[in-house]
Every structure is written in structure tokens, then in C-alpha cells.
Amino acid sequence: MKKDVFKRSIIIISFILLLICAFSSVNAKEDNSDITMVTLSKGGIVIHYPSDWGYSESDSNYSIMSISKLDSIDSSGVGQVNINFEKKAIQGDFYTFLNSTYSSMQKDSSFNLTSSGEVMVNNIHAYEYTYSSSQNDTTIKAHKAVWFEKGGQAYVMLYSAPIDDFEDNLYVFDYMLSDIQIT
């Protein structure tokens, strides 16, 4: 009798788990069914990104393209969850250029560098910086910047988002970085 109750319990629990997995799988497919990948090519860079992101404005003079999560774009066209691509001609050593850039940023009390190091981007040596900054003393944003040099140009791919949204959208930045093409 105890064996029959135990067998029934196992069968019921297995059935419930199967239903939960099937329901979760169907919901996951429905949530992403309308998202496709979009290609954008500009300024010597080719990227692929999900269709729930789109082209947006940037306040940087060196920006060659900027994309944002569509539901984060404000009335001025700037996204609060944003990936910006910049390019700037440099003279001299690339590493010296980077050091001077981040040394000047560290003088600003709203800037907090949390990590830095070397990485590879499509067989190109690059530098990664993670930091936070506050805007208007109210909004704290997290940032991840990956810098590389090609042809005397400094390129940066910069992801910025409010602290609460940073981790949830980081996968888009990481995917784009792994798939970026520099022409």
C-alpha cells in the first residue's frame, strides 16, 4: 500500500513538473516570437541587434551610431538603456590616450571606476572599463566600455543603463560585441 501511494505521488509530481515545463516553454516562445535581428552598418562598423532595440540620438560629438532599447527612448530621442559607438582619430600611443581619458574622468566625483582590463574583440586587442556615474545627482547609471584601435582610430562601444536595468540588458551588449564587424 505504501508503495502504491509513493508511486502515485511520484507520478503526480512528475506530471505537474511536466506541465510547468511545457507552459514555461510556450510562454518563452510567445515572448520572443516578434523579435528578429536587425543589421546596421555605419562608420566602418556592422552590428546585429534585436528588433526591440532601435536607432536613437546621442549627445556625444564622436558618436557614429547609437541604439537604445525602444521602450527607454525619451521625448528627445535619447535612450536611457543605450549602446553607443564612437570613433575618434588619435595621435600617439593608444594606451596613453585611454589613460588620459579615464584619468580626467576620475577627477569627477560623480564617476566611480569599478574594473578595467584587457580583452579580445574579434582577434583585436581591446580594453574594457566598467564604471558608474550619476547624472543631475538623481540618476545613477552603470556603464561598460570596450575600447580598441584600428587604423589610427580609437573605437569605443559603450553600454549605459540605469543601475536597476544594467544587468537585465547586458546580454545585448555582450552579443553585439561578440558579433561586431569592423570594416
Side-chain angles (χ1 to χ4, degrees), residues 59 80 102 104-114 129-145 158-164 166:
D59 23 350
Q80 297 305 302
Y102 283 92
S104 64
M105 290 172 72
Q106 287 180 326
K107 293 176 184 172
D108 182 351
S109 62
S110 68
F111 174 84
N112 181 33
L113 181 66
T114 53
Y129 294 83
T130 306
Y131 57 97
S132 63
S133 65
S134 59
Q135 298 174 337
N136 306 329
D137 297 325
T138 58
T139 304
I140 299 175
K141 283 193 162 187
H143 311 273
K144 184 175 183 180
L158 173 63
Y159 166 54
S160 299
I163 290 278
D164 293 341
F166 186 80

Side-chain angles (χ1 to χ4, degrees), residues 29-42:
K29 288 178 186 174
E30 288 175 5
D31 290 344
N32 295 322
S33 64
D34 59 341
I35 295 177
T36 57
M37 294 306 286
V38 179
T39 300
L40 179 61
S41 176
K42 191 172 179 187

Side-chain angles (χ1 to χ4, degrees), residues 46-153:
V46 178
I47 60 168
H48 301 83
Y49 60 92
S51 60
D52 59 340
W53 287 62
Y55 199 79
S56 61
E57 297 296 321
S58 171
D59 23 350
S60 169
N61 294 332
Y62 300 104
S63 181
I64 53 176
M65 71 173 114
S66 183
I67 65 163
S68 298
K69 191 165 186 184
L70 291 175
D71 63 5
S72 80
I73 298 175
D74 62 23
S75 60
S76 64
V78 176
Q80 297 305 302
V81 177
N82 175 276
I83 300 173
N84 192 37
F85 299 85
E86 298 180 14
K87 178 169 73 170
K88 182 178 182 181
I90 58 170
Q91 295 179 0
D93 180 59
F94 178 64
Y95 189 71
T96 303
F97 166 78
L98 281 179
N99 277 337
S100 66
T101 299
Y102 283 92
S103 292
S104 64
M105 290 172 72
Q106 287 180 326
K107 293 176 184 172
D108 182 351
S109 62
S110 68
F111 174 84
N112 181 33
L113 181 66
T114 53
S115 70
S116 64
E118 298 179 34
V119 294
M120 294 296 287
V121 176
N122 291 339
N123 296 321
I124 297 174
H125 189 83
Y127 295 90
E128 179 180 281
Y129 294 83
T130 306
Y131 57 97
S132 63
S133 65
S134 59
Q135 298 174 337
N136 306 329
D137 297 325
T138 58
T139 304
I140 299 175
K141 283 193 162 187
H143 311 273
K144 184 175 183 180
V146 175
W147 292 83
F148 50 93
E149 178 187 21
K150 184 168 183 184
Q153 302 283 322

